[in-house]
Amino acid sequence: MSKIYLLTGGTGFLGSLLSIELIKRGDKVIFFGRSKNGESFQKRIENKLKSIEPDISLKNTEIIEVDLHKENLGLSDDFIKQFSGKIDAIWHLAANLSFRKKDKEEIFATNINGLKNILNLTSRIKTTVYYMGTAYVHGQRPGVIFEDELIKPNCFNNPYEESKFESEKIIKEWGAKKENKFIIFRPSIFIDVNLKALTFFGYYVVVYALYKMRQNVKKEQMRIFFPFFYSKIAFLNLMPIDIAIKWMLKISSNSKALGRTFHIANPLPFSMKEITIQTFNALNIKIPVFGVPKWFIKLCFSFLYYISFIIKSIRGFAKKLYYYKYYMTEYNTYDMKNTKEIIGQDIVNQFNFPPDFIQNIAKEFIKKLDNKNK
């Protein structure tokens, strides 16, 4: 039986791919969003979805301009009343993904205040909210991270993590009232095997920074004699987005999931060694790589960051390493008890990838960038 969903963040990496899957299932998707850079929200949605699936039919969709920062999203009371009791759930995916401290005010305005307005709307129209958080709400807290806990760390790596932590607190307080229903998803770092939707977040941030640096060298192969160091004990939790969407749709359709939190993470994360080597190979960069203790890497990343103010060609790459140094030097294990309960205990078999999987992911991204530049 088809359902009717409200969805925010439809022009994003996850939002565009998830909404296409919902449309293909026969569900109606009502997109909430805003105009940007002189382009209407309707045009933004149409262009995004058509760029991924040129033949996708948008007949069973509705596109509505809203403002997440305004009470009731800027919609009139009469307009909101038409949704009451008719919406199966709200997929709230919209977020400010910036890591920069100078963007903290904007990040909090979107990720926290925007969420409050969504929850108010959810209560008014008597539906359920599916909230997209992040696995990294733990900040710099070591060890195993459990789905059923939300513990504030001594330090967050960036304002994005902090905003998502505060958002989870708000949802759980809101959900304490019996009539309020929610599901929290905590994804790790999304990747896409075929990169249907071009994105510049997560793993792709570092690949893009390397790509920009690589463009300064016209030779077919770039050779760097200064070594690059990786943490021998670190892993990066890269989660294929097609598997993530399949999991989230299955979880959201199960009534036992209500009021709970689910890690959408890779049970077999990739080591920093294989990620480092395969990413450089994809860019045809020849550089010696060595595994060293994490304190030494942090020192190197900081050194690179400061000398990048002198050496312009490495500035973009050095800044990205500095922003992402925690994820590249530390590693947390994500408990998936709730996820396994609904998806099935044997989820490991879904992650049987070829040895050059990361290299192919990076190559596909580079190919998309080359085509875009042309």
Side-chain angles (χ1 to χ4, degrees):
M1 185 176 175
S2 62
K3 296 182 181 295
I4 302 175
Y5 294 114
L6 295 178
L7 186 143
T8 69
T11 58
F13 186 34
L14 173 63
S16 55
L17 294 172
L18 173 63
S19 60
I20 285 174
E21 198 59 39
L22 293 172
I23 292 166
K24 285 180 174 180
R25 294 197 320 177
D27 296 327
K28 179 174 182 178
V29 180
I30 302 171
F31 293 96
F32 274 7
R34 62 187 173 89
S35 301
K36 189 176 181 181
N37 299 328
E39 187 176 40
S40 72
F41 180 54
Q42 174 148 351
K43 202 67 182 171
R44 290 179 66 209
I45 285 290
E46 289 175 355
N47 289 344
K48 185 67 176 184
L49 300 192
K50 292 285 186 181
S51 70
I52 300 169
E53 292 272 349
D55 299 326
I56 191 78
S57 172
L58 301 180
K59 289 181 180 178
N60 204 26
T61 65
E62 197 173 336
I63 301 169
I64 300 171
E65 291 255 1
V66 301
D67 188 341
L68 280 178
H69 300 92
K70 292 182 178 179
E71 187 177 354
N72 295 325
L73 312 186
L75 302 172
S76 69
D77 288 340
D78 288 340
F79 194 87
I80 290 172
K81 283 178 184 175
Q82 69 175 303
F83 295 123
S84 185
K86 297 177 183 177
I87 304 297
D88 289 284
I90 299 178
W91 287 91
H92 183 43
L93 315 179
N96 186 319
L97 304 176
S98 173
F99 281 9
R100 299 183 301 184
K101 290 181 180 178
K102 68 177 184 178
D103 296 336
K104 184 172 181 176
E105 189 175 331
E106 293 177 27
I107 294 166
F108 274 51
T110 300
N111 297 354
I112 297 177
N113 297 336
L115 171 65
K116 289 177 179 178
N117 291 329
I118 285 291
L119 293 179
N120 180 52
L121 176 68
T122 304
S123 297
R124 289 192 63 181
I125 65 176
K126 299 177 177 61
T127 189
T128 304
V129 63
Y130 303 148
Y131 170 71
M132 201 58 52
T134 175
Y136 301 96
V137 288
H138 55 72
Q140 293 185 16
R141 185 163 64 86
V144 179
I145 307 302
F146 293 93
E147 293 165 307
D148 294 329
E149 68 180 15
L150 183 64
I151 300 172
K152 189 170 185 175
N154 292 327
C155 181
F156 290 101
N157 293 293
N158 49 66
Y160 170 74
E161 287 181 353
E162 186 178 0
S163 72
K164 287 297 188 177
F165 176 88
E166 295 299 330
S167 295
E168 273 204 31
K169 277 177 58 181
I170 290 166
I171 291 181
K172 290 183 176 182
E173 288 168 6
W174 173 85
K177 294 182 180 178
K178 208 170 187 179
E179 66 272 17
N180 293 335
K181 300 175 182 178
F182 69 90
I183 296 174
I184 295 173
F185 294 109
R186 286 184 187 165
S188 55
I189 303 168
F190 286 136
I191 52 171
D192 186 6
V193 179
N194 299 310
L195 201 63
K196 295 178 183 177
L198 193 62
T199 181
F200 295 91
F201 295 101
Y203 167 69
Y204 298 105
V205 169
V206 176
V207 182
Y208 183 61
L210 279 170
Y211 175 81
K212 294 289 284 184
M213 185 178 74
R214 180 74 176 82
Q215 283 186 310
N216 295 324
V217 179
K218 303 303 179 184
K219 294 179 181 178
E220 185 177 334
Q221 184 182 92
M222 180 179 181
R223 187 174 291 276
I224 300 174
F225 296 99
F226 187 82
F228 185 88
F229 304 106
Y230 64 86
S231 171
K232 292 186 286 187
I233 61 168
F235 293 79
L236 198 60
N237 201 293
L238 301 179
M239 179 67 186
I241 200 165
D242 56 328
I243 298 176
I245 289 173
K246 183 170 67 174
W247 284 9
M248 289 187 288
L249 290 176
K250 187 171 182 178
I251 290 168
S252 64
S253 66
N254 193 319
S255 60
K256 292 180 180 179
L258 292 173
R260 300 167 71 185
T261 302
F262 298 86
H263 279 144
I264 308 298
N266 187 340
L268 299 174
F270 300 95
S271 71
M272 282 310 305
K273 178 180 180 180
E274 59 185 322
I275 289 173
T276 301
I277 292 172
Q278 291 193 39
T279 302
F280 281 126
N281 285 345
L283 286 142
N284 208 5
I285 297 174
K286 298 302 176 185
I287 180 173
V289 294
F290 297 101
V292 294
K294 61 184 179 183
W295 65 265
F296 187 76
I297 297 176
K298 290 179 180 179
L299 186 66
C300 289
F301 284 2
S302 296
F303 174 73
L304 269 177
Y305 176 74
Y306 289 112
I307 67 166
S308 70
F309 290 97
I310 302 169
I311 307 173
K312 188 177 179 181
S313 61
I314 67 167
R315 191 169 299 166
F317 179 55
K319 283 185 176 181
K320 295 302 180 293
L321 287 181
Y322 190 75
Y323 282 135
Y324 286 83
K325 63 181 177 181
Y326 178 86
Y327 311 111
M328 298 175 70
T329 56
E330 304 285 351
Y331 179 66
N332 292 87
T333 300
Y334 298 101
D335 157 63
M336 299 175 70
K337 178 174 168 287
N338 292 345
T339 301
K340 288 178 180 178
E341 181 184 326
I342 292 178
I343 301 301
Q345 291 295 322
D346 187 21
I347 62 174
V348 174
N349 288 333
Q350 298 180 44
F351 295 83
N352 185 23
F353 303 124
D356 57 352
F357 180 73
I358 297 299
Q359 187 168 320
N360 291 335
I361 292 285
K363 278 185 175 180
E364 190 61 35
F365 180 66
I366 294 161
K367 180 181 173 184
K368 291 274 185 182
L369 290 174
D370 286 339
N371 290 337
K372 187 179 180 183
N373 291 336
K374 287 176 185 178

